[in-house]
Amino acid sequence: MSNSVNETARDKMISDLTKYYFSRKGNKSRLTMLENNRYLFAKNDKDEGFYLVSSKDNESIIDLTKSIYMEIIKEAKEHGLNNKYHIYATGCLFASPLIDFNKISNVEVNFLKRSIKLIKEVIL
């Protein structure tokens, strides 16, 4: 994903999450990026999915709810993935032992929005 005028908060967060994943020490698993999905953005060598919960316009990262979790399960099945879900969201309003929940703070979300706004102002 490039730093273009059309880059959304979701695009930027996925880029940052991917960089973080590969920078972690001892991480031997490889990520394969997947595009054109509502929440699913990558899978690892164990066929576990990585999901970013964002608003429909992709401008905000939002909380995980039960209905969103059900959509995530559907996406995983469509891609033949295992039922271990690595989910990134601002909050988790629904819990399951199958969820590896990773909190994204509102500070990070607001920083992303400001960064994208600056990029758009510089380019335009």
Side-chain angles (χ1 to χ4, degrees):
M1 290 172 225
S2 64
N3 284 337
S4 71
V5 174
N6 296 322
E7 185 173 55
T8 64
R10 176 183 165 79
D11 295 332
K12 179 73 172 116
M13 183 59 74
I14 289 172
S15 176
D16 291 350
L17 290 172
T18 304
K19 288 175 193 169
Y20 170 74
Y21 182 85
F22 286 117
S23 70
R24 288 174 48 193
K25 291 183 176 144
N27 192 356
K28 295 181 172 60
S29 185
R30 216 182 111 227
L31 277 187
T32 301
M33 302 309 293
L34 302 169
E35 295 186 4
N36 302 319
N37 297 294
R38 177 70 185 94
Y39 303 105
L40 178 66
F41 68 90
K43 69 176 185 169
N44 64 15
D45 295 338
K46 299 175 189 174
D47 280 333
E48 298 169 342
F50 289 73
Y51 307 86
L52 179 60
V53 180
S54 61
S55 60
K56 291 191 189 246
D57 65 3
N58 291 326
E59 291 301 328
S60 298
I61 310 305
I62 59 175
D63 291 341
L64 173 66
T65 62
K66 185 175 182 178
S67 62
I68 291 173
Y69 180 60
M70 300 310 287
E71 291 178 49
I72 286 172
I73 290 172
K74 184 179 175 189
E75 270 190 351
K77 286 181 180 178
E78 289 171 358
H79 288 273
L81 300 176
N82 290 327
N83 60 354
K84 173 74 173 192
Y85 309 99
H86 301 275
I87 299 176
Y88 297 84
T90 54
C92 188
L93 306 178
F94 178 76
S96 164
L98 303 175
I99 296 174
D100 170 29
F101 177 73
N102 300 276
K103 182 172 179 54
I104 296 175
S105 74
N106 287 328
V107 172
E108 293 169 301
V109 172
N110 290 333
F111 176 76
L112 284 173
K113 286 181 179 179
R114 284 192 307 274
S115 297
I116 290 168
K117 184 179 177 189
L118 270 172
I119 290 168
K120 287 179 179 179
E121 287 173 2
V122 169
I123 292 174
L124 297 176

